[in-house]
Amino acid sequence: MIIQLEQGISSQEANKIRDKVNSLGFKTTDVITQRCKYIIGIGKKEIDIRQLGGMAGVSDVHRVSDAYKLVSRKWRVKPTEIDLGDGVVIREGDFAMMAGPCSIESEEQIVQVLEHLNANGVRIMRGGVYKPRSSPYSFRGLGIDGLKLWHEHAQTYGIKIITEVMQSSQIEDLCKYADILQVGARNSQNFNLLDALGEVDKPVLLKRGISGSLSELLQCAEYVFSGGNEKLMLCERGIRTYETAYRNTFDLNAIPILKEKTHLPVIADPSHGIGVRAYVEPVALAAVMAGADGMIYETHCTPEKAFSDGQQTLDFRESEALIKKTRATFELRKSF
Ligand code: PEP
Ligand code: MN
């Protein structure tokens, strides 16, 4: 159960509501986000919610039986919008494009990608400066100095930055230079990191775990939301299956299902989703038709020379073709 509180509620009123909810057999948790104050009631009892709805300080009461509550679409029917400023908004009804290299490698590479995105009207650039790698001997990113350099150049193009956060100690510095913090598949269930991201006022893109179920993904999102941060979106990036013909199995099914279950924007990552450059485009276009609110994919001037994930990275010609076809596909979807 979600009890939405009035903004100006007094502590006495909040105490009374909490006591009442407890007396009805529910455990309570207080949640304060950028937008609202809530009391979450956890329990199995069937109650008449009008008993709470009439109390001073309560603005609304919603019954949500799912394990995840605040991220559920059952109580908030209006889809969440993520406003990055300068007219860049991620929302249902638009299609957000985010593109860039797997890893930030050099100043030259940053500028090449920014030029490419700018020429094609893409307003959000992706790139890792902290890279989770299977081998400790692989390139692990340029760190915060790489992000500072990237930020300087990105600002001159008015292009926003999404980059991965791997641990809580990186959050403060990343928040100074990035517009969206990405939680990678390997950290999807790092609950300490999710708790810490709940405390910041910065949009978060949460990726599905390597073998994470949709329910787990939604409960991970609930950690961030209930920690206080409503600026959240989800990303389908493929899961590990028995198939060996490609890197991951992009779960197209996840997109309409997530869209039905949550009010958060749903973003597709076809690059990690299939992991093979030649097949990124068809998967990406299928994700558009399936109802995604945006896409994040990898592009690089010379993918064969990329420091990481070159095998799934589009060159600029392929990237430009994908951008055009994505826009055309999105128009087609809107026309239905
Ligand atoms: C990435 O975006 O480069 C990345 C490492 O993604 P994932 O966490 O989905 O593997
Ligand atoms: Mn990658």
Side-chain angles (χ1 to χ4, degrees), residues 162-174:
I162 173 167
T163 197
E164 178 160 351
V165 55
M166 285 181 59
Q167 56 183 30
S168 315
S169 59
Q170 295 163 350
I171 294 176
E172 196 180 330
D173 274 346
L174 290 179

Side-chain angles (χ1 to χ4, degrees), residues 102 126 131-132 164 182 184-186 207 237 272 298:
C102 181
R126 62 144 288 146
K131 293 303 304 175
E164 178 160 351
Q182 169 179 322
R186 291 153 195 81
K207 287 194 163 194
R237 49 77 71 199
H272 295 87
E298 292 179 336

Side-chain angles (χ1 to χ4, degrees), residues 20 23-24 46-56 58 61:
K20 178 75 178 171
S23 76
L24 292 169
E46 278 297 322
I47 59 154
D48 181 350
I49 55 175
R50 284 174 298 186
Q51 296 177 74
L52 298 165
M55 293 182 76
V58 172
V61 184

Side-chain angles (χ1 to χ4, degrees), residues 228-259:
N229 189 357
E230 298 199 10
K231 297 178 181 172
L232 193 54
M233 56 202 126
L234 303 180
C235 179
E236 164 57 37
R237 49 77 71 199
I239 45 173
R240 184 166 287 172
T241 66
Y242 52 78
E243 184 52 69
T244 55
Y246 41 76
R247 184 180 181 188
N248 290 307
T249 299
F250 184 80
D251 181 8
L252 197 59
N253 304 359
I255 293 173
I257 292 178
L258 288 172
K259 285 298 297 169

Side-chain angles (χ1 to χ4, degrees), residues 101-106 109-110 125-129 139 141-142 146 150:
C102 181
S103 303
I104 296 299
E105 299 168 1
S106 64
Q109 179 227 30
I110 291 168
M125 176 167 159
R126 62 144 288 146
V129 295
F139 176 66
L142 295 180
W150 178 15

